[in-house]
Amino acid sequence: MDARKGFHYALEELQQSILKMGVLVEEAIYHAVKSLANQDLKIAEHVIQNDRQINERMIEIESLCLKLLALQQPMASDLRVIGTAMKIVTDLERIGDHAVDIAKTTRRLQGEALVKPLVDTPKMAGMIKEMLHEALNSYVKRDVQLALSLAEKDDQVDALYKQIFNELQELMERDSSNVKQAILLLMVCQNLERIGDHATNIGEWVIYMVSGDRTDLNI
Amino acid sequence: MDARKGFHYALEELQQSILKMGVLVEEAIYHAVKSLANQDLKIAEHVIQNDRQINERMIEIESLCLKLLALQQPMASDLRVIGTAMKIVTDLERIGDHAVDIAKTTRRLQGEALVKPLVDTPKMAGMIKEMLHEALNSYVKRDVQLALSLAEKDDQVDALYKQIFNELQELMERDSSNVKQAILLLMVCQNLERIGDHATNIGEWVIYMVSGDRTDLNI
């Protein structure tokens, strides 16, 4: 196998590693919100423990990227592919941290009954999980249109976030005994909203990788 | 000038660019909190507008790093220096975003009188600004001890955050008319707390740059 073929094989491997990390992160979001909605401390601990794995993946992928850059002297377009990989894993790792924050909220509630059943929060979580999935799809397919479509999805997430925010605010204003828990639930939604931003970031990186242009999808 | 000398000159330039970006980010934090404490919309708009400059610096520095990696085939230690630079600018950029979030809170309050004068929040801001300054100092001096000391500072910031959190929660529980504003102030403190985490991240990168070890200073 010549050096060029070896390099492209390595890029393929890099992509696979990112996708595997993406799956771990998607699962973390899903389980974190499930732990909260079902008040399941066991699942929450699982998410918190598993974050180490996500961090390790990031370190591995970053090391691989640096090695590829240093050894291969890649051309401009390959340079962007590797630079993009390094940025995407940073976003994925931060998403993992947000999932941990959500799981820690489950831990802080310690099985306390929820002031209201969680309906919109899991809905919001479903939306951002889909966004992340599409962001990773746009990466694999190098699909700029799909990446661009994340901006609209993010607006929908932001609208739902505002709605939940207002509801929780009302809940606090109506009955002061709701304050403590409502603050925690508010922060959960803020974590979800941030995850949406990171998914949008990934879309921006895909556009950069394909076209070389830096776009702001989050305005 | 031979290639090796040219490379070290480029690394020196890279460090200078990061420090300049660091100064912009420190100013953003300072002005964002000042805009909030003084209810000064003009300063808030200034912070929001200036964030573009911070983002542009990040893009410039990242491009420089990728070029250096691709053209120079650096050795392991230089590889770490460049990899570290790429990660530090990501943290600095996120800090800039948090400063913008704080400035946007000033905008949302629209000159509304504060439920209580801000004393602890500017104190917390001062602490995290100092942390950031020390993180950047540890980077310039390659000072692992200074980087390690950030963990303790971050604990102090977290303790103050908890105190402010409890006070704001009490304020909401006592009088429901405080809820709306107290939520916003709570989020400001959360932004500050996150900035502290990013400063700690920078310290972790410095340790990695110098020693090759990955440390978690934020536990």
Side-chain angles (χ1 to χ4, degrees):
Chain A
M1 191 157 56
D2 64 27
R4 193 80 208 140
K5 262 195 193 156
F7 182 56
H8 274 106
Y9 182 71
L11 287 185
E12 185 64 35
E13 268 202 332
L14 178 63
Q15 180 170 302
Q16 287 306 317
S17 304
I18 289 176
L19 289 184
K20 277 183 198 158
M21 186 178 169
V23 170
L24 289 179
V25 168
E26 278 181 35
E27 282 174 1
I29 302 169
Y30 174 74
H31 285 127
V33 176
K34 194 177 169 188
S35 81
L36 184 73
N38 299 351
Q39 293 284 76
D40 189 326
L41 282 170
K42 219 170 159 179
I43 301 181
E45 293 304 327
H46 175 76
V47 172
I48 295 164
Q49 293 307 319
N50 263 26
D51 191 50
R52 181 178 298 211
Q53 236 188 85
I54 293 174
N55 294 345
E56 282 169 1
R57 288 290 165 101
M58 176 182 70
I59 293 173
E60 278 167 26
I61 295 172
E62 280 172 354
S63 302
L64 177 60
C65 287
L66 288 175
K67 265 186 218 149
L68 282 175
L69 284 166
L71 295 174
Q72 301 285 352
Q73 295 189 276
M75 301 173 300
S77 62
D78 291 335
L79 206 56
R80 287 204 305 271
V81 170
I82 300 171
T84 297
M86 288 184 76
K87 298 301 283 196
I88 288 180
V89 293
T90 308
D91 282 303
L92 288 176
E93 190 265 343
R94 305 273 331 153
I95 295 177
D97 287 347
H98 286 298
V100 167
D101 281 347
I102 295 171
K104 282 186 177 165
T105 304
T106 308
R107 195 197 254 169
R108 277 179 80 172
L109 287 169
Q110 286 183 309
E112 185 185 303
L114 294 174
V115 289
K116 69 181 210 115
L118 291 189
V119 179
D120 285 328
T121 305
K123 187 180 160 193
M124 190 176 164
M127 283 163 81
I128 62 118
K129 205 170 148 278
E130 203 184 299
M131 273 181 78
L132 176 58
H133 201 75
E134 289 189 0
L136 291 170
N137 250 335
S138 76
Y139 167 65
V140 178
K141 296 181 183 161
R142 309 197 169 200
D143 185 337
V144 170
Q145 283 312 313
L146 189 57
L148 284 168
S149 74
L150 290 166
E152 204 189 313
K153 293 254 162 66
D154 195 44
D155 290 345
Q156 289 166 10
V157 167
D158 288 349
L160 184 55
Y161 172 54
K162 261 181 208 142
Q163 182 202 313
I164 301 176
F165 188 106
N166 291 336
E167 279 170 19
L168 288 169
Q169 186 180 317
E170 263 176 52
L171 219 63
M172 287 190 245
E173 284 167 345
R174 208 163 53 217
D175 183 350
S176 68
S177 69
N178 291 330
V179 165
K180 194 180 161 200
Q181 197 184 101
I183 292 175
L184 294 177
L185 295 178
L186 203 59
M187 286 181 163
V188 166
C189 289
Q190 207 189 20
N191 276 301
L192 289 174
E193 191 261 342
R194 289 278 154 90
I195 295 176
D197 289 345
H198 284 290
T200 313
N201 284 353
I202 293 175
E204 289 172 4
W205 289 114
V206 171
I207 295 168
Y208 167 72
M209 178 174 75
V210 177
S211 68
D213 298 329
R214 305 283 292 236
T215 332
D216 191 352
L217 293 181
N218 193 13
I219 23 176
Chain B
M1 191 157 55
D2 65 27
R4 194 79 207 143
K5 263 194 191 157
F7 182 56
H8 274 106
Y9 182 72
L11 287 185
E12 185 64 36
E13 267 203 333
L14 178 62
Q15 180 170 302
Q16 287 306 317
S17 304
I18 289 177
L19 288 184
K20 277 184 199 160
M21 186 177 169
V23 170
L24 288 179
V25 169
E26 279 182 35
E27 282 174 0
I29 302 170
Y30 174 74
H31 285 126
V33 176
K34 194 177 169 189
S35 81
L36 185 72
N38 299 351
Q39 292 285 76
D40 189 327
L41 282 170
K42 219 169 158 179
I43 300 181
E45 292 304 328
H46 175 76
V47 172
I48 295 164
Q49 292 307 320
N50 264 27
D51 190 50
R52 182 178 298 211
Q53 237 188 84
I54 293 174
N55 294 345
E56 281 169 2
R57 288 289 165 101
M58 175 182 71
I59 292 172
E60 278 166 27
I61 295 172
E62 280 172 355
S63 303
L64 177 60
C65 287
L66 287 175
K67 266 185 217 150
L68 282 173
L69 284 165
L71 295 174
Q72 302 284 352
Q73 295 189 278
M75 301 173 299
S77 62
D78 292 334
L79 206 56
R80 287 205 305 270
V81 170
I82 300 172
T84 297
M86 288 185 77
K87 299 300 282 196
I88 288 180
V89 292
T90 308
D91 282 303
L92 288 176
E93 191 265 342
R94 303 280 322 160
I95 296 178
D97 287 346
H98 286 297
V100 167
D101 282 347
I102 295 171
K104 281 186 178 165
T105 304
T106 308
R107 196 198 253 169
R108 276 179 80 171
L109 287 170
Q110 286 184 309
E112 186 185 302
L114 294 174
V115 290
K116 69 181 211 115
L118 292 189
V119 178
D120 286 327
T121 305
K123 186 180 161 193
M124 189 176 165
M127 282 162 81
I128 62 118
K129 206 171 147 278
E130 203 184 299
M131 273 181 79
L132 177 58
H133 200 75
E134 288 189 1
L136 291 170
N137 250 335
S138 76
Y139 168 65
V140 177
K141 296 181 182 158
R142 308 197 170 201
D143 185 338
V144 169
Q145 282 312 313
L146 188 56
L148 283 168
S149 75
L150 290 167
E152 204 190 314
K153 293 254 161 67
D154 196 43
D155 289 345
Q156 289 166 8
V157 167
D158 288 350
L160 184 55
Y161 173 55
K162 261 182 206 140
Q163 182 201 313
I164 301 177
F165 188 105
N166 290 337
E167 278 170 19
L168 287 170
Q169 185 181 317
E170 263 177 51
L171 220 63
M172 288 190 246
E173 285 168 344
R174 208 164 51 219
D175 182 349
S176 67
S177 70
N178 291 331
V179 165
K180 195 180 159 199
Q181 197 184 101
I183 292 175
L184 294 178
L185 295 178
L186 202 60
M187 287 182 163
V188 165
C189 289
Q190 205 189 21
N191 276 300
L192 289 173
E193 190 262 342
R194 289 279 153 91
I195 295 176
D197 289 344
H198 284 290
T200 313
N201 284 353
I202 293 175
E204 289 172 4
W205 288 115
V206 171
I207 295 167
Y208 167 73
M209 179 174 75
V210 176
S211 66
D213 298 327
R214 305 281 294 234
T215 333
D216 191 352
L217 293 180
N218 194 14
I219 23 176

